[in-house]
Amino acid sequence: IRNLAPSPAGDGRLFDRTVLKDYNAKLNAQLGASNSGVFHFWTNDKLKYGRVFTFLGFPLQEATHNQTTPSDIWKVEDTHQFGSSFLGTVLYSKDTGDFTLSPQGGLTGPMFTDLDNILHNTSFDFSQHAIIEQGRVDANYFASTGDVNHELKFGAGFREQENSSVTVWPQGRNTSAFLYDDVIYNIVRFSRSRVLAAKSEYQSAWVQDTISLDRWTFNVGVRYDKQSGENLASTSPANNQAEGLIPELRFDGNDAGGFEWTNIVPRLSATVALGAERETLLRATFSQYAQQLGQGTISRVNPAGNYSYAYFYFTDDNGNLLLEDSERGSLSFAYTYNINPHDPGSLISANVND
């Protein structure tokens, strides 16, 4: 897939190319008269060359990103027939994957945004690694009591997800310029390389009975979910250019506020067949669904997990929009973002989960 977009410089085009790779294999096995198994492997990747992000300015080609999303998924499933009325299935799967964004200009050159909000030379680098493991046991049981037929479905499952990511800024800084009252102001943003790691766990159980009686079919069920998470230990390196405002952060991890979500929700429905031929169905349903706990909720109370910056004004003597070593004496503190300037090494989060 190839796309062309106008260059913000007004000359030529930005080149955006996407390559999709997808391979899979599946093996079905009859392991006995009452048992069957499935093994499934799937590997895939989405490679994107020239992805555009505009929050730092409209990028030139060298400030666009190359993206990769490699993922390997393994799944094993076994089903066994226990007599004529009981069927059970066990499933386990594991998904390991990465997501990367690398600037086409590399990480060695300076990054700056000019007065026309055009981003030059390079951009941020991001990499994430994730592991998802899950398992499930479910069963179907069929029974009759007089004129009433039952199909009972029940089971339980778990899922565990662990994510870790690193964001790096070229040379630990980027510069920009803006015009105010016909005066050009130059500002440099010193950045902390963000290191983040979180783990979430999900447990569930369910039971449902489908009851058939003459014209009527009832579904009566309930589902239980328990969700929790934690922030894992991480170390974010110091940026010594920021005049002490970005020290090293050694975070030991926390329990994300010690909270967990527990929900019990119903699954109810009733269906009746109308008319002598029973060709018309009238159905009523009522269900509730629990919201999934996202890792963003977990990491919001990670004191080292936020993007954080220290901003300084400087005098650009040679007008090249870059902070040169000879211009460091002109640095003047402006403000910080997600940094307490009075205690920049603090590991106390301002956010609370309750």
Side-chain angles (χ1 to χ4, degrees):
I1 303 172
R2 290 178 169 85
N3 296 305
L4 293 174
S7 170
D11 53 348
R13 300 275 185 171
L14 293 179
F15 182 61
D16 181 336
R17 182 168 67 97
T18 302
V19 178
L20 302 177
K21 296 183 178 181
D22 194 324
Y23 306 95
N24 67 85
K26 185 177 182 180
L27 176 64
N28 294 317
Q30 190 68 38
L31 305 177
S34 302
N35 190 278
S36 63
V38 177
F39 173 77
H40 188 199
F41 172 70
W42 179 29
T43 181
N44 64 92
D45 197 356
K46 179 180 180 181
L47 304 125
K48 193 171 183 66
Y49 304 94
R51 182 171 179 181
V52 172
F53 294 91
T54 59
F55 65 91
L56 294 170
F58 298 102
L60 297 179
Q61 187 69 53
E62 63 270 18
T64 64
H65 287 80
N66 293 337
Q67 170 188 307
T68 68
T69 56
S71 174
D72 292 330
I73 301 173
W74 304 80
K75 184 174 77 171
V76 178
E77 183 176 351
D78 184 78
T79 300
H80 191 85
Q81 181 81 41
F82 299 89
S84 61
S85 59
F86 185 35
L87 181 71
T89 300
V90 178
L91 179 146
Y92 171 80
S93 69
K94 184 174 183 179
D95 180 354
T96 58
D98 296 286
F99 179 83
T100 69
L101 293 166
S102 302
Q104 291 194 355
L107 291 173
T108 58
M111 176 174 60
F112 70 94
T113 305
D114 65 22
L115 285 167
D116 295 318
N117 198 33
I118 296 176
L119 180 63
H120 295 256
N121 291 343
T122 184
S123 188
F124 67 94
D125 182 274
F126 176 81
S127 61
Q128 175 179 275
H129 180 68
I131 301 175
I132 303 173
E133 290 186 86
Q134 60 182 336
R136 188 180 73 236
V137 178
D138 53 30
N140 288 38
Y141 181 73
F142 304 90
S144 297
T145 54
D147 295 332
V148 181
N149 295 318
H150 297 265
E151 181 185 355
L152 190 64
K153 299 179 180 180
F154 55 94
F158 82 92
R159 181 163 65 91
E160 182 179 284
Q161 180 171 346
E162 185 172 326
N163 283 45
S164 59
S165 65
V166 178
T167 306
V168 176
W169 303 89
Q171 297 188 355
R173 67 179 188 268
N174 63 291
T175 55
S176 59
F178 63 93
L179 189 67
Y180 182 75
D181 281 348
D182 296 326
V183 177
I184 296 176
Y185 293 86
N186 296 90
I187 195 165
V188 57
R189 184 182 75 174
F190 297 112
S191 307
R192 171 178 282 125
S193 293
R194 189 187 74 151
V195 181
L196 178 66
K199 180 180 179 180
S200 50
E201 296 181 343
Y202 310 87
Q203 301 172 27
S204 60
W206 58 91
V207 59
Q208 179 173 309
D209 190 9
T210 301
I211 306 167
S212 301
L213 175 62
D214 193 27
R215 297 175 178 268
W216 289 91
T217 302
F218 301 95
N219 280 296
V220 181
V222 65
R223 179 183 173 93
Y224 166 82
D225 287 281
K226 179 182 177 182
Q227 307 177 76
S228 61
E230 61 179 312
N231 290 297
L232 305 179
S234 63
T235 300
S236 299
N239 186 338
N240 296 323
Q241 306 174 81
E243 300 193 346
L245 289 173
I246 305 181
E248 179 184 74
L249 291 183
R250 291 185 174 271
F251 174 54
D252 293 332
N254 63 27
D255 62 358
F259 79 108
E260 63 181 28
W261 289 355
T262 301
N263 302 91
I264 300 176
V265 293
R267 302 282 193 272
L268 303 172
S269 72
T271 304
V272 60
L274 303 177
E277 303 298 326
R278 303 187 180 187
E279 294 177 344
T280 301
L281 299 179
L282 181 63
R283 178 176 297 160
T285 64
F286 176 79
S287 298
Q288 291 182 325
Y289 299 89
Q291 179 180 347
Q292 181 172 295
L293 172 64
Q295 291 198 339
T297 304
I298 298 169
S299 61
R300 70 187 296 271
V301 294
N302 181 340
N306 294 314
Y307 288 102
S308 49
Y309 315 103
Y311 294 81
F312 291 79
Y313 294 105
F314 72 98
T315 300
D316 185 17
D317 292 327
N318 58 9
N320 67 351
L321 301 180
L322 302 176
L323 176 65
E324 307 287 359
D325 289 341
S326 60
E327 298 165 345
R328 287 183 176 274
S330 68
L331 287 174
S332 174
F333 174 69
Y335 59 95
T336 60
Y337 178 79
N338 280 330
I339 296 173
N340 181 353
H342 305 293
D343 187 11
S346 173
L347 287 173
I348 299 176
S349 174
N351 299 320
V352 176
N353 282 334
D354 58 20

